[in-house]
């Protein structure tokens, strides 16, 4: 079936380093992609999104890259801080507005001081 | 920033009992959702709701589940006869241009 998956279950970085979290998706009809951050015991927190007509979008300290050719999505976090430690999920949804989000497995990011 | 609010934050119930999880979506959003997350696993879609009716549901959303938007602001998920395997975090989300999630209700079925 269609799925969204993450390459690495865990990522450990030093404070101040840049982090890259990857995601592969298999639904070529996906139109909208979102990265969420989930801290322990909390709900997914919106970080950044990108639509399929773009290949890069930048936010504050975060950049999302979309490669539709290989169905790959990545989240780059610049100057990673201890507060960035969390599980990061990519999610994708199809062309129909409001259709379900399909989440990937999640990557646990640990930032070491 | 507007937010989705959920109550209660934690609900403990006995197997076979009915539970109602409540959500107040962001006011100008059009689509509403329930997701669940079993401990340590990914977030799974349950149901979406648009224009006062279910627009999509997953295979998890069987006859034990129902959703309602009784008063134009609250959005509820009812589980009629809870099972042990219903224990999970339940997240409400709403969407207009972006999808935002609530902090979740931790449901524990004993």
């Amino acid at each position: 079936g269609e799925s969204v998956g993450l390459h690495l279950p865990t990522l450990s970085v030093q404070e101040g380093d840049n982090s890259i979290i990857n995601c592969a998706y298999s639904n070529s009809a996906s139109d909208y992609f979102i990265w969420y951050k989930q801290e322990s015991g909390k709900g997914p927190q919106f970080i950044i999104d990108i639509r399929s007509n773009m290949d890069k979008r930048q936010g504050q300290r975060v950049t999302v890259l979309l490669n539709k050719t290989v169905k790959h999505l990545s989240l780059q976090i610049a100057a990673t801080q201890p507060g960035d430690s969390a599980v990061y999920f990519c999610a994708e949804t199809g062309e129909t507005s409001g259709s379900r989000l399909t989440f990937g497995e999640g990557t646990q990011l640990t930032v070491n001081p | 920033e507007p937010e989705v609010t959920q109550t209660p934050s934690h609900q403990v119930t006995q197997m076979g009992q009915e539970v109602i999880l409540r959500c107040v979506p962001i006011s100008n959003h059009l689509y509403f959702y329930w997701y669940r997350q079993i401990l340590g696993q990914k977030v799974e879609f349950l149901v979406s709701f648009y224009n006062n009716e279910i627009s999509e549901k997953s295979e998890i959303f069987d006859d034990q589940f129902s959703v309602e938007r009784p008063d134009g602001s609250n959005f509820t998920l009812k589980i009629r006869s809870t099972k042990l395997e219903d224990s999970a975090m339940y997240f409400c989300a709403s969407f207009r241009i972006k999808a935002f999630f609530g902090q979740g209700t931790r449901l524990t079925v004993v």
Side-chain angles (χ1 to χ4, degrees):
Chain A
E2 304 282 6
S3 66
V4 178
L6 290 161
H7 293 308
L8 297 172
T10 61
L11 178 64
S12 186
V13 300
Q14 291 298 122
E15 182 177 359
D17 287 352
N18 297 330
S19 303
I20 300 176
I21 301 172
N22 296 303
C23 177
Y25 66 94
S26 58
N27 184 357
S28 57
S30 294
D31 177 64
Y32 178 54
F33 304 87
I34 312 169
W35 280 101
Y36 286 95
K37 172 185 180 183
Q38 187 177 30
E39 296 172 289
S40 181
K42 295 186 177 180
Q45 177 188 355
F46 179 96
I47 301 173
I48 191 167
D49 58 356
I50 189 167
R51 297 201 176 269
S52 59
N53 61 351
M54 303 173 67
D55 54 20
K56 181 179 180 178
R57 190 154 189 238
Q58 286 185 293
Q60 189 176 18
R61 282 203 304 118
V62 294
T63 302
V64 56
L65 299 176
L66 175 63
N67 185 331
K68 295 182 287 295
T69 303
V70 295
K71 299 198 206 66
H72 185 267
L73 192 68
S74 68
L75 175 71
Q76 299 177 1
I77 305 173
T80 317
Q81 302 167 0
D84 295 327
S85 294
V87 177
Y88 289 80
F89 292 94
C90 65
E92 56 91 13
T93 189
E95 296 175 355
T96 305
S97 183
S99 57
R100 71 167 75 181
L101 289 171
T102 300
F103 281 80
E105 300 292 333
T107 292
Q108 171 71 59
L109 174 66
T110 301
V111 182
N112 302 307
Chain B
E1 187 175 81
E3 59 180 24
V4 176
T5 57
Q6 290 185 243
T7 55
S9 57
H10 192 187
Q11 173 88 48
V12 181
T13 189
Q14 288 197 323
M15 191 169 55
Q17 295 297 303
E18 174 183 287
V19 295
I20 297 176
L21 309 183
R22 303 180 193 277
C23 169
V24 179
I26 296 171
S27 61
N28 63 348
H29 282 196
L30 303 175
Y31 296 87
F32 313 107
Y33 311 85
W34 284 100
Y35 289 80
R36 80 171 186 191
Q37 186 179 32
I38 294 170
L39 184 64
Q41 298 186 21
K42 66 180 179 180
V43 179
E44 300 175 289
F45 170 78
L46 292 177
V47 65
S48 58
F49 194 83
Y50 172 73
N51 201 25
N52 289 319
E53 61 182 26
I54 290 173
S55 53
E56 191 178 3
K57 59 183 180 179
S58 72
E59 59 280 3
I60 303 169
F61 194 88
D62 61 21
D63 291 343
Q64 295 297 314
F65 292 88
S66 62
V67 289
E68 233 181 14
R69 194 157 186 247
D71 57 12
S73 60
N74 292 288
F75 180 50
T76 62
L77 174 68
K78 182 191 291 186
I79 309 174
R80 289 189 185 83
S81 179
T82 50
K83 304 185 287 286
L84 293 176
E85 54 265 36
D86 293 327
S87 295
M89 284 289 289
Y90 287 81
F91 295 107
C92 174
S94 68
F95 171 88
R96 184 178 174 96
I97 299 172
K98 298 179 180 180
F100 291 94
F101 283 75
Q103 292 299 306
T105 293
R106 179 174 297 283
L107 177 65
T108 303
V109 182
V110 296

